[in-house]
Amino acid sequence: MPAFCARTEPGTSTTGVGGHAYHAANIGAGGVLRNFHMLEKLFQLQAHNTSVRTEMLAGLTTFLTMAYILFVNPAILGETGMDKGAVFVATCLAAAIGSAIMGLIANYPIALAPGMGLNAFFTYTVVLHMGHSWQVALGAVFISATLFFVLSVFRIREWIINSIPLPLRSAISAGIGLFLALIALKEAGLVIANPATLVGLGDLSSPGPLLAILGFFLIVALEARRVTGAVMIGILVVTAIAIALGVTPFGGILSMPPSMAPTFLQLDIMGALDVGMISVIFAFLFVDLFDNTGTLIGVAKRAGLMSKDGHLPKMGRALIADSTAAMGGSLLGTSTTTSYIESAAGVAAGGRTGLTACVVAVLFLLALFFAPLAGTVPAFATAPALLFVAVLMTSGLAEIDWDDITVAAPVVITALAMPLTFSIANGIAFGFISWVVIKSLAGRWKDLNPALVVLAALFVIKFGFFNA
């Protein structure tokens, strides 16, 4: 008799306590097997040479590397007057929904969350500099995401991407990095306004700037040592030190999620349709488009998901998932939701399917209960994270052909215009205009295309007649 079969005495029944335990064990085991079969069928784990355990570990790794957005996004968007608790909830939900859609529709191990750079553009340019309300800014995010969705459905993305020279794409990324660096230094108190020189050095004897410097050094050192979650560790360590020194009050760790009512469905779409918002919508759209294309290709290459001809299967599905997540994020009350390059950390840990992204989604839902901790983190603790992301984004300048002055000049103009005008949109516009004018005057007609010329002309018209 097999060991798992229970012997019954005459006159007894297997429906007693032991019988129930036996049946429950079999039902439980069967349920686990059915769940594994379901995951196998849904994510094709064997075909991608992976397992449930590997995918779960990869999802945890990805989450730890990008969880800093839970602290940074509410801090940045909160400066517009948005309720930080509601933004925290919107950040968690947008990341969870976006990652789940990506995992289920495209079956890619790529997680999504509100994008760095775009949230800074949302706050410091659209709201604080241009004077629009955050409701109008959310409307612009929704419109840009809708346009992204249409471009993805009708497969116009390739034409747009191919019309933008690669050096300009690298310049836009680097410019956003410099923009983030300026914001980081300002938030840390390391750079302050100076009426004589525009900017000056802050007070290095105060704890905020010193802790920010410590946080940046710590993040870079941990990243160099390949420690998972280096950015989040740096934020939490600086916050803990600030609490211990009495610089920052401790607000707690766990609680029920805050109300999302202050930001939910508060977007102003009609206000975003103003002519002065065209360049803003364009900036949201193109930065998201470039970010996603670069992230998808980069992560897919590392995961071995690219086809032999160099194309990315299901690219359309991935872009539809991203644009859908961005639309959903604007309805919830956060800036553009986009694919995260930090997903490469999960791929390095073995993630190969959408199950990795779905695990990230679940973890972001669990993070909803850590709102008090997010509210405790001071600005000088998130500033090092911004500066670290800036370092990563400016690395694209290494790909520029600096010997070609007709390339180098527009690249520098693009990159510098973003931080110095405090606007990603202005940087993109100046880059397109300078590229077309310089190439034309130099007789380099082969480096131009109709789409680039039209876009540059539209920007000239915008600055001439509709400059906000």
Side-chain angles (χ1 to χ4, degrees):
M1 180 181 295
F4 58 78
C5 291
R7 178 186 295 274
T8 57
E9 299 298 329
T12 64
S13 170
T14 59
T15 59
V17 175
H20 281 303
Y22 165 70
H23 288 299
N26 278 285
I27 292 173
V32 171
L33 288 175
R34 282 194 297 273
N35 288 336
F36 273 95
H37 286 308
M38 180 185 70
L39 293 176
E40 167 59 37
K41 183 178 180 180
L42 185 61
F43 298 108
Q44 302 174 350
L45 301 178
Q46 290 184 358
H48 289 86
N49 194 28
T50 185
S51 65
V52 172
R53 180 180 180 276
T54 299
E55 296 291 301
M56 293 183 71
L57 289 175
L60 176 61
T61 301
T62 297
F63 174 77
L64 290 175
T65 59
M66 62 185 289
Y68 64 86
I69 194 63
L70 295 172
F71 310 119
V72 178
N73 204 47
I76 292 178
L77 298 189
E79 295 193 37
T80 66
M82 298 177 73
D83 183 87
K84 290 186 178 181
V87 173
F88 173 80
V89 174
T91 302
C92 292
L93 292 179
I97 293 171
S99 299
I101 293 175
M102 179 67 76
L104 295 172
I105 292 182
N107 196 27
Y108 282 151
I110 297 175
L112 289 83
M116 294 294 295
L118 287 167
N119 53 6
F121 176 59
F122 181 104
T123 295
Y124 299 106
T125 298
V126 181
V127 178
L128 299 183
H129 179 65
M130 298 178 68
H132 296 290
S133 68
W134 60 263
Q135 291 90 341
V136 169
L138 285 177
V141 171
F142 180 84
I143 294 172
S144 68
T146 303
L147 292 174
F148 193 0
F149 181 82
V150 172
L151 295 177
S152 302
V153 170
F154 291 100
R155 300 184 178 181
I156 308 174
R157 177 197 62 84
E158 288 83 1
W159 177 76
I160 294 177
I161 291 294
N162 292 334
S163 69
I164 311 301
L166 184 59
L168 272 186
R169 286 183 246 169
S170 298
I172 290 171
S173 176
I176 295 173
L178 294 176
F179 184 50
L180 286 178
L182 179 59
I183 293 170
L185 295 173
K186 172 182 171 292
E187 292 298 308
L190 289 166
V191 170
I192 58 175
N194 187 310
T197 60
L198 292 182
V199 294
L201 183 63
D203 181 10
L204 296 183
S205 63
S206 59
L210 292 176
L211 288 173
I213 293 171
L214 172 63
F216 178 70
F217 289 164
L218 179 60
I219 290 172
V220 172
L222 291 175
E223 183 66 22
R225 291 175 175 270
R226 301 186 182 278
V227 175
T228 300
V231 177
M232 188 173 69
I233 292 172
I235 292 173
L236 294 177
V237 167
V238 170
T239 301
I241 295 174
I243 293 172
L245 295 176
V247 178
T248 299
F250 179 57
I253 297 178
L254 291 169
S255 74
M256 293 300 294
S259 171
M260 199 171 58
T263 61
F264 183 61
L265 297 180
Q266 295 299 310
L267 67 169
D268 182 359
I269 297 177
M270 294 306 297
L273 292 174
D274 183 82
V275 175
M277 291 294 291
I278 291 177
S279 62
V280 171
I281 294 171
F282 179 88
F284 278 131
L285 171 63
F286 271 70
V287 173
D288 193 20
L289 193 59
F290 296 148
D291 275 357
N292 273 283
T293 303
T295 298
L296 288 171
I297 292 174
V299 175
K301 280 184 178 178
R302 188 160 185 174
L305 299 175
M306 300 286 285
S307 61
K308 293 181 179 179
D309 58 3
H311 289 87
L312 182 61
K314 297 179 290 187
M315 168 71 92
R317 290 189 183 185
L319 292 174
I320 288 173
D322 188 280
S323 56
T324 302
M327 285 190 285
S330 66
L331 297 174
L332 293 169
T334 185
S335 53
T336 306
T337 303
T338 186
S339 300
Y340 260 57
I341 193 63
E342 283 85 350
S343 302
V347 168
R352 293 294 180 271
T353 73
L355 180 55
T356 294
C358 289
V359 170
V360 174
V362 172
L363 292 173
F364 269 112
L365 290 178
L366 294 176
L368 282 167
F369 300 95
F370 290 87
L373 179 59
T376 299
V377 176
F380 57 76
T382 57
L386 289 175
L387 190 55
F388 176 72
V389 174
V391 171
L392 300 181
M393 297 189 74
T394 52
S395 63
L397 292 176
E399 303 170 2
I400 303 301
D401 180 8
W402 295 104
D403 293 329
D404 186 345
I405 194 63
T406 66
V407 170
V411 164
V412 171
I413 290 172
T414 304
L416 288 181
M418 292 188 189
L420 296 183
T421 67
F422 230 61
S423 171
I424 293 174
N426 285 343
I428 294 175
F430 291 162
F432 280 35
I433 293 170
S434 62
W435 182 278
V436 171
V437 173
I438 290 173
K439 290 289 186 180
S440 298
L441 293 176
R444 303 276 289 272
W445 305 104
K446 62 182 178 61
D447 294 335
L448 300 177
N449 58 69
L452 198 60
V453 173
V454 169
L455 289 171
L458 290 175
F459 277 126
V460 170
I461 294 172
K462 187 267 179 187
F463 283 123
F465 298 97
F466 306 107
N467 194 23

